[in-house]
């Protein structure tokens, strides 16, 4: 940027996405765009500009009354295929999903009226995915008590040193964390030597188990079905015979 004739008044970059505020006029912007594309023929920048509003990542930045505002932006390719309420995932993941998505919309949206429209659309999307309407109302109502300014504040996370325990998820493991915590308090925290080494019980995480998709699709191209485990082949045969019309 220091080598160009004109520089942006404001510049931010996230990997290969750049956001700028330009104050030198269109002809100077066009010249700037041509200059930065001359430095490396393998790195070419695409220019999108607008005097009123511009989309950057998952936000739309617009000018109103000589001030900058933002609103949530959903790409046309984003089909919002959230987890079904009956999906075989840890319960807390499904319960927290609507709130976490609404929280992102609150962070991206300056105007409260625009936020209400976004939340309403989000609610209908989750209802179509099988989520309970009353629980959604209770969860999403909390969003209106949080300001965008508060969410944009930089937060320093406290370092938590805990032993990770990663397990393949299955519904039979529900309540396992409470049992581990009980045993940890009984056999570890009561022993001074062990308590000194391990001050807190393990952090339980879950890995993805095999799904129908993992049996009938392959991450390799072309797929190497010949070397697939025979149990996968048997699983595919079972699915075709018993679950497909």
């Amino acid at each position: 940027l220091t080598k160009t004739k004109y520089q942006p008044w404001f510049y931010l970059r996230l990997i290969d996405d750049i956001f700028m505020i330009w104050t030198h006029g269109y002809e100077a912007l066009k010249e700037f765009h041509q200059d930065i594309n001359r430095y490396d023929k393998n790195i070419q920048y695409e220019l999108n500009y607008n005097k009123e509003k511009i989309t950057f990542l998952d936000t739309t930045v617009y000018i109103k009354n000589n001030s900058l505002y933002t609103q949530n932006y959903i790409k046309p390719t984003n089909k919002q295929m959230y987890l079904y309420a009956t999906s075989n995932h840890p319960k807390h993941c499904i319960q927290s999903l609507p709130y976490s998505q609404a929280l992102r919309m609150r962070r991206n949206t300056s105007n409260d009226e625009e936020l209400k429209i976004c939340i309403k659309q989000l609610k209908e999307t989750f209802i179509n995915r099988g989520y309970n309407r009353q629980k959604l109302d209770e969860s999403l109502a909390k969003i209106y008590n949080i300001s965008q300014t508060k969410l944009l504040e930089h937060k320093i996370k406290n370092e938590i040193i805990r032993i990770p325990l990663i397990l393949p998820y299955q519904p039979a493991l529900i309540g396992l964390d409470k049992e581990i915590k009980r045993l940890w308090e009984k056999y570890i925290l009561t022993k001074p030597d062990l308590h000194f080494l391990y001050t807190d019980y393990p952090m339980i995480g879950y890995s993805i188990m095999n799904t129908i998709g993992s049996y009938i699709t392959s991450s390799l191209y072309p797929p190497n079905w010949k070397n697939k485990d025979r149990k996968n082949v048997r699983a595919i045969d079972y699915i075709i015979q018993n679950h497909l019309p």
Side-chain angles (χ1 to χ4, degrees), residues 166-178:
I166 311 299
L167 302 169
Y169 176 73
Q170 53 181 315
L173 296 178
I174 294 176
L176 178 65
D177 56 334
K178 294 181 180 179

Side-chain angles (χ1 to χ4, degrees), residues 20 58 68 78-79 86 96 106 116 129-130 162 171 232:
M20 301 188 309
D58 60 346
L68 286 179
N78 183 357
K79 302 303 180 183
T86 55
S96 63
R106 168 73 281 187
K116 290 179 181 179
R129 306 296 283 181
R162 295 171 64 182
N232 287 8

Side-chain angles (χ1 to χ4, degrees), residues 227-245:
N227 294 331
K228 277 277 187 177
D229 193 289
R230 289 303 302 171
K231 71 176 183 180
N232 287 8
V233 177
R234 291 195 297 270
I236 294 172
D237 291 338
Y238 176 80
I239 292 169
I240 293 175
Q241 293 174 11
N242 296 276
H243 295 282
L244 298 182

Side-chain angles (χ1 to χ4, degrees), residues 27-90:
E27 292 301 325
L29 176 62
K30 185 177 179 180
E31 181 180 341
F32 172 80
H33 182 225
Q34 292 172 346
D35 286 343
I36 60 177
N37 277 337
R38 290 193 186 104
Y39 290 117
D40 191 332
K41 65 179 182 180
N42 296 314
I43 302 177
Q44 296 295 297
Y45 297 91
E46 178 185 349
L47 176 63
N48 294 298
Y49 66 94
N50 194 291
K51 293 183 178 181
E52 297 179 356
K53 64 178 182 179
I54 193 74
T55 297
F56 180 69
L57 302 177
D58 60 346
T59 62
T60 296
V61 183
Y62 64 95
I63 299 174
K64 184 178 180 180
N65 298 328
N66 293 323
S67 297
L68 286 179
Y69 296 88
T70 60
Q71 65 185 54
N72 193 65
Y73 174 72
I74 300 175
K75 295 181 179 180
T77 55
N78 183 357
K79 302 303 180 183
Q80 298 181 286
M81 303 296 286
Y82 301 118
L83 288 175
Y84 277 105
T86 55
S87 181
N88 186 34
H89 282 74

Side-chain angles (χ1 to χ4, degrees), residues 115-126:
L115 177 65
K116 290 179 181 179
I117 296 174
C118 291
I119 297 298
K120 182 179 179 180
Q121 294 172 346
L122 182 70
K123 176 184 171 182
E124 293 303 317
T125 299
F126 275 107

